[in-house]
Amino acid sequence: MFLTDEEKRMRDGAEDAAVAAAMDLLIRYGRALDAENLCDIRNVAGTMTQPTPVKARIVKEYGWDKAFAVINLDSDEDFEVPDMRVPTCQLQHGFGQDALGVVPYPMQNIELQASAESFYGRHGVNILATCTPYQVGNLPIRGEHCAWMESSAVIYANSVLGARTNCEGIASTGAASLTGKIPCWGNHRAENRYGTHHIEVSVRVDNFQDWGMLGYFAGGVSGEDHPVITGDINVPDLTDLKHFGAAAATSGGVELYHIPGITPEAPTLEAAFSGTGPPEPVSYGPAERRAVYETLNEIGTTADVDFILLGCPHASVDQIRKAAAALDGKRLSPGTELWLMAPRALKDVADRSGYTRVIERAGGRVLADSCPAMSRAAPKGTKVFATDSAKQAHYLPAILGIEAWFGTLEECVDAAVTGRWNGGLS
Ligand code: F3S
């Protein structure tokens, strides 16, 4: 793999031991991928503060510098962590102090995370604590090379923003944060960013639920490739594309898609396929839409619902406002809990706008930093949950061994108020 003089100097320890270990990791990683070179980046979204038992053990015995070396740089060496070289943010992690008494979540995790936030904050990590960094200030520009983790964020960055990132891991983002480099392969290269599958929509897709179902279908069709969507779709907004991407990255491993005329790298269908002409389209019509809906509801058999989960990926302000409007003047059924997950910065907006108060008056909670899937935590005794998120409907039953219903925000709120699932595909 070609290295610049600057990269060789970093590798050889001209800066410090931590940077040398980071460069060593990136070189090993790049060679394994057959990358020709490293690209310069100035935007990392990774995870350093998420509490885990391994991290707790290392920190207790050796401290945070060692934990970073072992977990975030795959190194046994002893060194002090320098400041982040490029803008770096923490993605979602565990629940914080304010979730105490609401979420059954271990106090030792909350304490470890608070200690981590303090350590990494001092080293220049922006604690955004959300799976949607693009909603709260980390907004890479078109063509910008990044090193991001979190599949729902990666697909948004690539497809909606036109930034360039592969789905990175804990160690590669750790190394990128100290070097401003990442192997230049996959989505970083223009020739790898064209469409591979053509999905023609022949049933109207014009709301949040529909965009999630279409995304789930697109992921199933495309696997890890790049679907291109055309047909009977409205112009999606941020929340629609957030849901679409998260679902496509859940049922498949999609990191990049195009919607001609809407996403930035596909002004036309031809451009989406690099002028080679689109392949034979796969149809998404009423039958396919119903099949996706039934798949997402196949784990739901019991109509009594204990738990409603909204905000996956973390909610926009507009989603919080809509949830508040739907819950205004209502009261959750006894024994039913409702959590809405949001970035902490947007929860602050919701607090100031009065939305949180309305949701709490109904008996629900707006929570930040994490989610039930990430932290493996739901209200005690939950057997059946309902959600408006295709991603949570897919993952949470397997993670927590519970039943799932997938529907609209209105159906979820109705379930929260009645304690019963009355949803159905319209
Ligand atoms: Fe975010 Fe959790 Fe969903 S981290 S994307 S709310 S599974």
Side-chain angles (χ1 to χ4, degrees):
M1 188 170 66
F2 173 79
L3 297 178
T4 64
D5 289 344
E6 179 206 22
E7 289 159 359
K8 286 179 191 159
R9 276 198 302 277
M10 285 192 214
R11 176 200 61 191
D12 297 340
E15 296 200 5
D16 68 29
V19 172
M23 189 53 79
D24 175 65
L25 182 142
L26 292 175
I27 292 168
R28 285 186 280 132
Y29 175 41
R31 284 191 180 136
L33 295 164
D34 269 339
E36 287 173 19
N37 61 309
L38 300 172
C39 44
D40 291 326
I41 53 153
R42 56 179 188 188
N43 188 323
V44 178
T47 185
M48 299 173 185
T49 53
Q50 165 72 16
T52 64
V54 172
K55 194 175 287 180
R57 258 200 320 277
I58 300 174
V59 170
K60 187 162 179 230
E61 226 167 303
Y62 305 104
W64 278 110
D65 290 293
K66 188 71 175 175
F68 183 86
V70 172
I71 296 168
N72 296 92
L73 286 186
D74 185 33
S75 169
D76 284 335
E77 288 184 41
D78 292 310
F79 44 67
E80 283 187 12
V81 177
D83 288 348
M84 302 297 115
R85 189 187 200 90
V86 292
T88 296
C89 75
Q90 168 65 40
L91 291 161
Q92 74 276 12
H93 53 184
F95 285 102
Q97 185 86 26
D98 58 340
L100 271 180
V102 180
V103 181
Y105 192 63
M107 189 62 200
Q108 64 265 31
N109 283 10
I110 292 174
E111 287 170 351
L112 183 68
Q113 185 165 289
S115 166
E117 286 187 23
S118 161
F119 176 83
Y120 286 110
R122 285 198 304 279
H123 289 81
V125 177
N126 301 320
I127 311 294
L128 298 186
T130 175
C131 46
T132 60
Y134 50 86
Q135 291 199 102
V136 288
N138 186 346
L139 206 64
I141 62 170
R142 182 172 173 185
E144 181 173 345
H145 294 278
C146 307
W148 280 25
M149 293 174 64
E150 170 49 40
S151 61
S152 68
V154 165
I155 190 171
Y156 194 95
N158 276 315
S159 314
V160 183
L161 305 179
R164 298 186 177 192
T165 179
N166 296 309
C167 205
E168 296 294 345
I170 291 175
S172 62
T173 49
S177 67
L178 296 191
T179 59
K181 308 279 180 181
I182 201 75
C184 201
W185 69 290
N187 298 327
H188 290 286
R189 303 185 66 95
E191 68 270 25
N192 296 332
R193 295 179 63 85
Y194 294 113
T196 57
H197 293 68
H198 180 193
I199 295 172
E200 173 72 19
V201 177
S202 59
V203 59
R204 187 91 184 121
V205 171
D206 63 1
N207 62 40
F208 180 81
Q209 182 189 36
D210 268 325
W211 277 101
M213 291 196 292
L214 177 57
Y216 201 83
F217 179 79
V221 166
S222 316
E224 298 185 352
D225 291 328
H226 305 160
V228 177
I229 312 297
T230 58
D232 195 9
I233 52 176
N234 69 332
V235 176
D237 64 12
L238 180 154
T239 57
D240 295 331
L241 293 177
K242 185 161 67 73
H243 195 195
F244 174 87
T250 295
S251 58
V254 178
E255 295 175 3
L256 171 61
Y257 63 86
H258 300 294
I259 307 177
I262 292 176
T263 56
E265 291 174 69
T268 62
L269 182 62
E270 290 66 35
F273 286 102
S274 147
T276 57
E280 196 59 34
V282 176
S283 173
Y284 179 77
E288 288 76 17
R289 177 174 179 263
R290 174 154 292 283
V292 169
Y293 180 81
E294 284 170 2
T295 299
L296 289 169
N297 280 289
E298 69 190 2
I299 316 256
T301 57
T302 312
D304 291 330
V305 173
D306 315 299
F307 175 40
I308 312 300
L309 178 71
L310 306 172
C312 168
H314 282 179
S316 67
V317 174
D318 198 44
Q319 285 177 292
I320 307 174
R321 182 185 60 76
K322 283 183 180 156
L327 283 161
D328 196 10
K330 300 192 175 122
R331 186 77 210 150
L332 262 55
S333 170
T336 302
E337 292 196 36
L338 180 148
W339 297 354
L340 188 156
M341 311 308 309
R344 186 168 290 279
L346 298 190
K347 178 179 182 301
D348 188 46
V349 177
D351 293 350
R352 298 179 73 175
S353 306
Y355 308 145
T356 308
R357 202 168 45 248
V358 172
I359 292 169
E360 288 183 350
R361 209 165 42 217
R365 294 298 295 247
V366 179
L367 296 166
D369 299 345
S370 192
C371 76
M374 183 72 194
S375 291
R376 299 172 179 270
K380 276 205 181 78
T382 295
K383 293 192 179 66
V384 183
F385 93 111
T387 182
D388 64 349
S389 162
K391 180 171 178 175
Q392 287 278 345
H394 177 99
Y395 282 125
L396 210 54
I399 291 172
L400 296 181
I402 58 181
E403 289 184 31
W405 294 109
F406 166 75
T408 63
L409 168 68
E410 293 70 26
E411 289 168 342
C412 288
V413 167
D414 176 74
V417 170
T418 63
R420 300 276 299 172
W421 183 252
N422 293 306
L425 191 60
S426 60

